[in-house]
Amino acid sequence: MSHSSTARPFRVAIIGSGPAGVYAADILTKSQEVAGGEVAVSIDIFEAQPAPYGLIRYGVAPDHPRIKGIMNALHKVLDRGDIRFFGNVNYGRDLSLADLRTHYDAVIFATGALKDAELNIPGVELDGSYGGADFVSWYDGHPDVSREWPLRAKEIAVIGNGNVALDIARMLSKHAEDLLVTEIPQNVYAGLKESPATDVHIFGRRGPAQVKFTPLELRELSHSRDVDIVLYEEDFDFDEASDAAIKSNNQIKTMVNTLTNWLAEDHDDARTPATHRLHLHFLHTPVEIRGVDGKVAAIKFERNELDGTGNVRGTGEFLEYPVQAVYRAVGYFGSELPEVDFDDKRGVIPNVAGRVVDADGNPIPGLYATGWIKRGPIGLIGHTKGDALETIGCLLEDRAGLPTAERPDEREIVDVLEARGVEYTTWEGWNKLDAHEKALGASYVPETGVEVIRERVKVVDRDQMVKISNM
């Protein structure tokens, strides 16, 4: 039976409450068909964590100035009351695909990409070699990550030339007390405070005109107190493709101008040296992490040169830097989901324009994907809106022909969760946790006695988050 023969609301489940999932819900509710009254919808968002917002809460550095604006935008969507939120519900454990098929006419996967892409070089397994995504989860207070992080290195290498690499390097090079104005949990502050790090090196494979970060994130590096930015003249090589990119792309031009200005300032002998240094290296390809007694002791690179097209080739010259820790920030990778095909080369759910497909490339009626689990971990948060628009367009196009849910009543899925003893959280519960975290910030008294204004202090423990939410 197709949905077109029923008068009840069209039931949609979205798996993941990050920007991808919330944007999809918002676009669906504002679509011409729904806003015009042609279609009534009932949307439930399921999130594995007790709190909403996904990547915005657990994947972005806490000192980013744009976080608050994005979180406020997501909050406004979920606070309208026309979308239900179920937190602390794990797809594949608490609910199966069969459960979702029984209770919903369509399912949209918006689970993002949570783990590190692999870097296959010798020594990557050494003690002191870390995945960047794991470190981000730690300093963002992810409840499924250990509260402790081994911050023993004085000299650190961060491999990657994207925004995540900049975030990691900035967090490692900043003075811990300067992060108290953010929402970092107390255990993160305590760990960073004890860090002996003085020199953090960021290494990119290509040149300054080919970096993957954005101007805002780059400029944030210069806002850190008592941190010198160090650059190297031999890294500032520009081929024909680089020159063309600088002339035609204002973003690239801005970043190159920023970097070259920093390079000139770096030679100002009148400046008082900082106690911490953040080094930016270009045209370096990692080839080996060297160890002593099983621990990271150095990292070896091959020197590159631009080939005229903006790409690089190795020169056969090798350089080695003494470091005691290596953070790999070469990209994220999606995780396989139960009962859904997975492309383990690209880290995505196989799909065509957001329609999930089977092994033969045929669309599976009622299953959709959006965000990084749809297209891979590329692009900024703004790209996620276009992604969701395409997926929702396909969903609405298919709606009339989709198989209908057997048990679509909104109360039915609540009964399932309660019968299974799932301690789910709600939007009302998030508002309680939100208020609690803000109260922790307002009442915070730093051990130094110096007054610090904190908007919130993030709660880390999952059981505590659930308890506060369900009070």
Side-chain angles (χ1 to χ4, degrees):
M1 181 172 64
S2 74
H3 182 76
S4 59
S5 63
T6 71
R8 63 167 175 81
F10 183 58
R11 292 278 283 144
V12 178
I14 298 176
I15 313 302
S17 70
V22 177
Y23 288 156
D26 189 40
I27 289 170
L28 178 55
T29 60
K30 292 177 178 176
S31 65
Q32 183 177 345
E33 294 89 335
V34 175
E38 178 186 341
V39 179
V41 295
S42 170
I43 304 170
D44 291 340
I45 294 182
F46 295 94
E47 168 59 51
Q49 308 309 324
Y53 308 140
L55 174 71
I56 299 303
R57 183 172 170 92
Y58 293 120
V60 182
D63 60 347
H64 261 312
R66 288 191 294 181
I67 290 181
K68 187 175 179 181
I70 297 170
M71 193 171 287
N72 286 344
L74 300 181
H75 180 95
K76 287 179 181 178
V77 174
L78 294 176
D79 201 46
R80 293 194 311 242
D82 57 346
I83 300 165
R84 292 196 302 181
F85 171 78
F86 292 88
N88 204 40
V89 178
N90 197 307
Y91 168 72
R93 183 191 67 196
D94 300 320
L95 291 175
S96 67
L97 183 59
D99 292 327
L100 296 174
R101 292 291 223 172
T102 299
H103 296 279
Y104 299 91
D105 304 303
V107 179
I108 302 173
F109 293 102
T111 51
L114 304 175
K115 63 183 182 180
D116 287 285
E118 292 184 356
L119 178 66
N120 295 315
I121 60 173
V124 74
E125 76 290 344
L126 288 167
D127 182 11
S129 171
Y130 307 114
D134 294 334
F135 183 58
V136 172
S137 293
W138 175 75
Y139 68 58
D140 273 334
H142 195 292
D144 297 334
V145 174
S146 171
R147 304 278 187 90
E148 306 298 323
W149 191 271
L151 292 161
R152 301 184 295 263
K154 182 179 179 181
E155 299 158 303
I156 300 169
V158 179
I159 303 174
N161 253 178
N163 287 336
V164 175
L166 294 189
D167 285 351
I168 291 170
R170 198 175 60 255
M171 291 293 289
L172 287 167
S173 60
K174 267 190 172 182
H175 291 274
E177 56 266 27
D178 292 339
L179 289 164
L180 282 175
V181 295
T182 75
E183 62 183 22
I184 60 168
Q186 188 61 18
N187 69 291
V188 174
Y189 166 66
L192 291 171
K193 184 181 177 184
E194 297 302 317
S195 169
T198 58
D199 289 82
V200 179
H201 301 258
I202 304 176
F203 294 96
R205 191 175 61 88
R206 297 201 289 174
Q210 288 81 38
V211 294
K212 296 298 183 182
F213 36 75
T214 50
L216 177 64
E217 279 71 17
L218 177 62
R219 285 194 294 265
E220 282 181 24
L221 295 183
S222 65
H223 298 161
S224 297
R225 178 183 64 86
D226 192 34
V227 180
D228 280 344
I229 298 174
V230 184
L231 299 107
Y232 300 86
E233 289 185 6
E234 61 269 25
D235 290 344
F236 281 74
D237 186 23
F238 301 96
D239 60 2
E240 294 177 5
S242 301
D243 292 336
I246 293 168
K247 291 176 181 177
S248 62
N249 187 306
N250 284 333
Q251 179 167 296
I252 294 174
K253 181 180 180 179
T254 298
M255 287 191 289
V256 170
N257 285 342
T258 299
L259 290 167
T260 52
N261 287 338
W262 287 349
L263 180 64
E265 293 170 3
D266 192 29
H267 295 287
D268 182 1
D269 295 331
R271 291 188 309 115
T272 302
T275 62
H276 293 187
R277 288 160 294 280
L278 202 163
H279 307 254
L280 295 175
H281 304 267
F282 304 101
L283 301 171
H284 283 64
T285 292
V287 295
E288 182 182 3
I289 302 173
R290 297 280 181 88
V292 174
D293 296 330
K295 299 180 184 296
V296 171
I299 184 166
K300 181 180 179 181
F301 293 89
E302 181 175 12
R303 182 79 183 168
N304 295 329
E305 63 182 8
L306 293 167
D307 66 1
T309 69
N311 291 313
V312 295
R313 56 187 170 227
T315 64
E317 176 189 356
F318 294 90
L319 304 168
E320 189 168 299
Y321 298 83
V323 296
Q324 301 81 51
V326 174
Y327 289 80
R328 309 180 304 274
V330 295
Y332 283 92
F333 200 78
S335 298
E336 187 171 357
L337 297 171
E339 303 180 85
V340 182
D341 283 344
F342 187 71
D343 183 338
D344 55 13
K345 291 184 178 180
R346 296 180 55 223
V348 300
I349 296 174
N351 70 92
V352 176
R355 294 182 175 98
V356 175
V357 298
D358 60 21
D360 296 321
N362 300 312
I364 302 174
L367 296 190
Y368 300 85
T370 191
W372 279 3
I373 200 64
K374 168 189 174 182
R375 72 176 188 274
I378 53 175
L380 302 174
I381 291 173
H383 294 94
T384 306
K385 288 186 177 181
D387 230 14
L389 190 63
E390 179 183 59
T391 295
I392 294 303
C394 291
L395 170 63
L396 289 170
E397 185 179 317
D398 300 342
R399 178 187 58 83
L402 296 179
T404 57
E406 296 174 14
R407 299 169 62 184
D409 187 272
E410 288 187 349
R411 178 65 205 181
E412 295 266 7
I413 196 67
V414 176
D415 292 340
V416 169
L417 294 173
E418 292 180 349
R420 294 175 183 175
V422 179
E423 292 186 279
Y424 66 88
T425 60
T426 63
W427 182 248
E428 293 76 15
W430 159 247
N431 284 327
K432 293 177 184 178
L433 179 58
D434 184 36
H436 178 82
E437 291 185 340
K438 289 176 179 176
L440 289 178
S443 62
Y444 182 79
V445 178
E447 55 202 50
T448 60
V450 178
E451 183 179 358
V452 177
I453 298 175
R454 303 198 70 183
E455 290 194 10
R456 72 166 66 234
V457 177
K458 191 179 289 184
V459 175
V460 181
D461 183 76
R462 178 184 290 272
D463 290 341
Q464 185 183 4
M465 293 172 70
V466 172
K467 181 179 178 180
I468 294 167
S469 298
N470 290 336
M471 288 177 61

